[in-house]
Amino acid sequence: MGRLDNKIAIITGAAGGQGKVEARLFAQQGARVIATDLNEALLTTAVAEINAELGVDAVIGIKHNIALESDWVDVVAKAHELFGRIDILINNAAIPGKTRDEVWDVDTEETSRILNVNILGSMLGIKAVMPGMKANGRGSIVNISSAAGLVGGISGGSVAYSATKGALRAITKEVALGVARSGVRVNTVYPGLIKTPIMEAFSQEVTDAVLAKIPAGFAADPIEIAYGVLYLASDESRFVTGTDLIIDGGYTAQ
Ligand SMILES: NC(=O)c1ccc[n+]([C@@H]2O[C@H](COP(=O)([O-])OP(=O)(O)OC[C@H]3O[C@@H](n4cnc5c(N)ncnc54)[C@H](O)[C@@H]3O)[C@@H](O)[C@H]2O)c1
């Protein structure tokens, strides 16, 4: 028996990195997964790879820009057409900021792009799935933040990226309280450094400096974050809402 048997899950940013590992784990645990990403070519390859590995067509790929409300409407309509409902939304897709030494050096265009994808994109996802989840009387939404949303010194000087990750904390709590009686739960996961392509946005110097400060002494494999996301997505966490799950090798305990 899988921990997500009969669940229908949408995972954004699932073409690579953390999202792809979550898509594979969720499918292994019995979920039907709608994996979405802006990068269609990479997504197609990832979906084919996971389905071939598992020997079942458990994952469906849909091209999706999370910053566009019309794309969310299409993804949710497709999920309802195929499966009749959505049980789980993992707001995982995000873009990093540029590494910079002068943290006060705000680039308006870059900042508005990051805010639009990382904050608005996740809010639009919540908006799109919520009516169906409320009508079904159940649902689990997991917002993927970052240790950068809790403490400074980990985002390579990108105030915009950190701001978006901090915002997800507030969004989670506000929405979780607003819908608590409906059976829909909303939680946040805060990963520390994970070995994924997003790390390429940061210089080796920044990565080494963060790595040196991780009490556990290593960067996480994506699966080590995915296990936490799985718990919050599953019914095992039925009494957990509006909370913070930090998975960072002790980084924010300092
Ligand atoms: N890697 C780390 O060290 C780390 C640490 C803390 C938090 N996180 C968070 O974990 C999550 C996953 O990150 P990752 O490391 O796997 O990154 P990644 O860059 O490997 O994957 C992110 C995916 O999101 C997609 N994406 C970007 N913009 C999009 C858009 N507008 N619409 C749809 N898809 C879009 C990308 O194409 C990519 O496939 C992110 O929210 C990230 O902020 C990562």
Side-chain angles (χ1 to χ4, degrees), residues 13-19 36-39 42 64-67 91-95 117 144-147 161 165 191-199:
Q18 183 63 41
T36 80
D37 204 289
L38 195 54
N39 187 333
L42 204 61
H64 175 204
N65 180 352
I66 62 162
N91 270 325
N92 168 76
I95 52 174
V117 174
I144 307 298
S145 176
S146 165
Y161 178 80
K165 294 303 178 177
L193 197 61
I194 326 169
K195 288 180 252 170
T196 70
I198 214 171
M199 280 171 70

Side-chain angles (χ1 to χ4, degrees), residues 92-111:
N92 168 76
I95 52 174
K98 287 193 203 108
T99 300
R100 46 168 60 80
D101 297 328
E102 310 286 10
V103 290
W104 42 263
D105 184 15
V106 176
D107 176 326
T108 312
E109 205 179 305
E110 186 204 7
T111 299

Side-chain angles (χ1 to χ4, degrees), residues 1-14 17-36 46 50-51 53-54 56-60 83 86-92 133 139-144 185 187 189 222-237 245 247:
M1 211 178 99
R3 292 166 68 186
L4 296 179
D5 278 345
N6 303 314
K7 299 285 189 198
I8 312 300
I10 295 177
I11 303 177
T12 66
Q18 183 63 41
K20 180 181 169 189
V21 172
E22 285 160 9
R24 183 190 290 113
L25 180 65
F26 279 29
Q28 280 169 341
Q29 291 299 327
R32 298 298 303 268
V33 179
I34 295 163
T36 80
I50 296 171
N51 284 337
E53 240 177 77
L54 303 184
V56 281
D57 279 343
V59 184
I60 289 158
F83 305 113
I86 298 158
D87 301 304
I88 297 163
L89 168 65
I90 311 299
N91 270 325
N92 168 76
M133 286 185 172
S140 174
I141 298 171
V142 181
N143 294 317
I144 307 298
R185 301 179 296 106
N187 291 289
V189 168
I223 191 71
E224 286 156 338
I225 311 300
Y227 286 134
V229 179
L230 169 63
Y231 165 68
L232 292 172
S234 78
D235 291 339
E236 294 160 18
S237 56
L245 177 56
I247 311 176

